[in-house]
Amino acid sequence: MATILAADIGGTSSRFGLFTIESGGTLSLERTDIFETADAESFSDLVSRVSELDIDIDNVDTAVFAVPGAVNRGVFVSMPNVTWNIDLEKSNNKFYQDKLTLINDFKAQAYATRTKAIRDAKEIKTGQAVEDATVAVVGAGTGLGHAAVTMGAPGRITAVASEMGHIAFSFIGEEEEAFHVFLRKKLSIPYGYGDLVVTGPGLSHIHEFLTGERLEPKEVSERAEPRVMEWFSRFYGRAARHYALAVVAQGGVYIAGGVAAKNPSFVDCDAFRNEFVLSPTYGYLLEKIPVWLNRNEKSGLWGAGYLGAQKLDLVS
């Protein structure tokens, strides 16, 4: 039996967990805990909190930490909304150098689709998944995350990270174009992109454009004004469609992230579903792609654990 230390580090909180895996490939989460990321003065300070879980990190077989942002060579990341970076190469810590790998947080979400984490995911759009085809994960939170998982060679699961949330978003029709102009002027940017539209902050931008009132995302969600909700759901469906087509996700699409987890009606609605299949060329393909909502808060942890098991050659 092997042991894997996994973490899902976010700007607000960081979840750590200890997994065990049998030689037959059964991954089990033994214990887990959450710490406030902002309470840590550095990455090393955050990792030191693991001792509270009664885990001796020097004795785990491997470790994988999921982190927000683009990860460079598995050893460096500059994380948004966190005052410190992670640079494993600059550390003399043997654990960091020999056992720890960093991956993008949505890459972990992609690996999680091969685990128990998605067992209770709700199907919000029916379809027929193609076996061994690419699976996409899209999720709105503070940012808009994307990742895909597909079969690698020889027969090995491979997850691919993406920063598609920073690509120019498409706006359709005069009213949406007026919203685009509003965004550019308000934020002094050359173009609007997914991270500013299909996210918590995006919800606030949409509300302000349509009502003239500035509110925090939570307040907008609580108001639940129909027109604001319809716009956001339509944009979310469009973002999911964009990525499903980008990676030809015939294995299905999973919706993750805090926005939909807390407000399932944003994606479990006709505005989302109708927009998802809206394509003059590939509507027939999109009609066949199932979409699920994954509300499991530990799925990123499971994805990191899965990659750890793969590093140990205990799963494919």
Side-chain angles (χ1 to χ4, degrees):
M1 182 174 67
T3 56
I4 302 161
L5 177 62
D8 188 6
I9 297 174
T12 303
S13 60
S14 296
R15 191 185 300 271
F16 287 83
L18 181 69
F19 286 87
T20 58
I21 183 164
E22 306 288 346
S23 57
T26 302
L27 191 64
S28 301
L29 180 57
E30 301 298 329
R31 49 188 179 274
T32 182
D33 205 349
I34 300 178
F35 307 103
E36 294 301 308
T37 307
D39 289 345
E41 297 179 356
S42 65
F43 176 62
S44 294
D45 184 26
L46 180 66
V47 175
S48 70
R49 313 288 172 91
V50 175
S51 61
E52 297 178 25
L53 291 174
D54 194 27
I55 296 173
D56 182 356
I57 63 174
D58 292 326
N59 287 328
V60 299
D61 292 291
T62 192
V64 178
F65 289 3
V67 295
V71 178
N72 186 1
R73 296 174 291 108
V75 296
F76 176 82
V77 64
S78 176
M79 298 183 291
N81 305 314
V82 180
T83 58
W84 36 261
N85 298 331
I86 304 176
D87 191 345
L88 304 185
E89 283 190 329
K90 289 187 176 179
S91 173
N92 294 323
N93 187 306
K94 192 169 178 60
F95 168 74
Y96 293 166
Q97 294 178 344
D98 296 344
K99 295 183 179 181
L100 179 57
T101 298
L102 304 178
I103 62 169
N104 171 265
D105 55 352
F106 261 78
K107 191 172 181 177
Q109 292 287 351
Y111 278 120
T113 64
R114 303 291 173 155
T115 73
K116 296 177 183 178
I118 51 89
R119 182 171 49 193
D120 297 324
K122 179 184 179 182
E123 187 176 55
I124 58 174
K125 178 194 166 297
T126 59
Q128 187 172 3
V130 176
E131 187 176 359
D132 292 337
T134 299
V135 173
V137 182
V138 180
T142 305
L144 179 61
H146 302 75
V149 63
T150 189
M151 295 298 295
R156 192 175 180 87
I157 301 301
T158 300
V160 181
S162 170
E163 291 297 335
M164 194 166 176
H166 297 275
I167 293 174
F169 196 78
S170 62
F171 297 94
I172 302 170
E174 292 184 4
E175 199 168 28
E176 288 189 12
E177 286 296 346
F179 172 59
H180 191 198
V181 172
F182 165 82
L183 272 182
R184 297 202 313 268
K185 288 183 177 179
K186 178 183 178 182
L187 302 174
S188 299
I189 53 174
Y191 56 84
Y193 46 93
D195 261 36
L196 302 176
V197 179
V198 188
T199 56
L203 190 59
S204 293
H205 295 321
I206 294 168
H207 180 86
E208 183 180 351
F209 171 72
L210 293 176
T211 69
E213 183 181 28
R214 293 190 180 188
L215 294 177
E216 292 299 312
K218 183 179 179 181
E219 296 174 298
V220 178
S221 297
E222 290 171 349
R223 291 276 186 94
E225 295 186 20
R227 194 156 180 248
V228 175
M229 299 302 100
E230 192 276 336
W231 271 56
F232 187 81
S233 296
R234 185 170 76 239
F235 285 152
Y236 210 147
R238 190 174 304 168
R241 181 186 76 226
H242 286 171
Y243 195 57
L245 289 175
V247 298
V248 193
Q250 291 180 286
V253 175
Y254 283 87
I255 302 299
V259 172
K262 295 172 183 174
N263 305 276
S265 60
F266 284 155
V267 293
D268 192 5
C269 63
D270 288 341
F272 176 95
R273 285 185 283 267
N274 293 339
E275 189 67 29
F276 182 81
V277 300
L278 184 61
S279 169
T281 51
Y282 281 109
Y284 71 92
L285 177 67
L286 292 160
E287 288 279 3
K288 296 177 181 178
I289 295 177
V291 182
W292 298 276
L293 172 60
N294 177 21
R295 301 175 70 184
N296 188 334
E297 294 182 350
K298 298 179 182 177
S299 57
L301 203 61
W302 276 91
Y306 183 93
L307 180 57
Q310 199 177 73
K311 287 173 61 182
L312 298 172
D313 290 323
L314 294 175
V315 296
S316 60

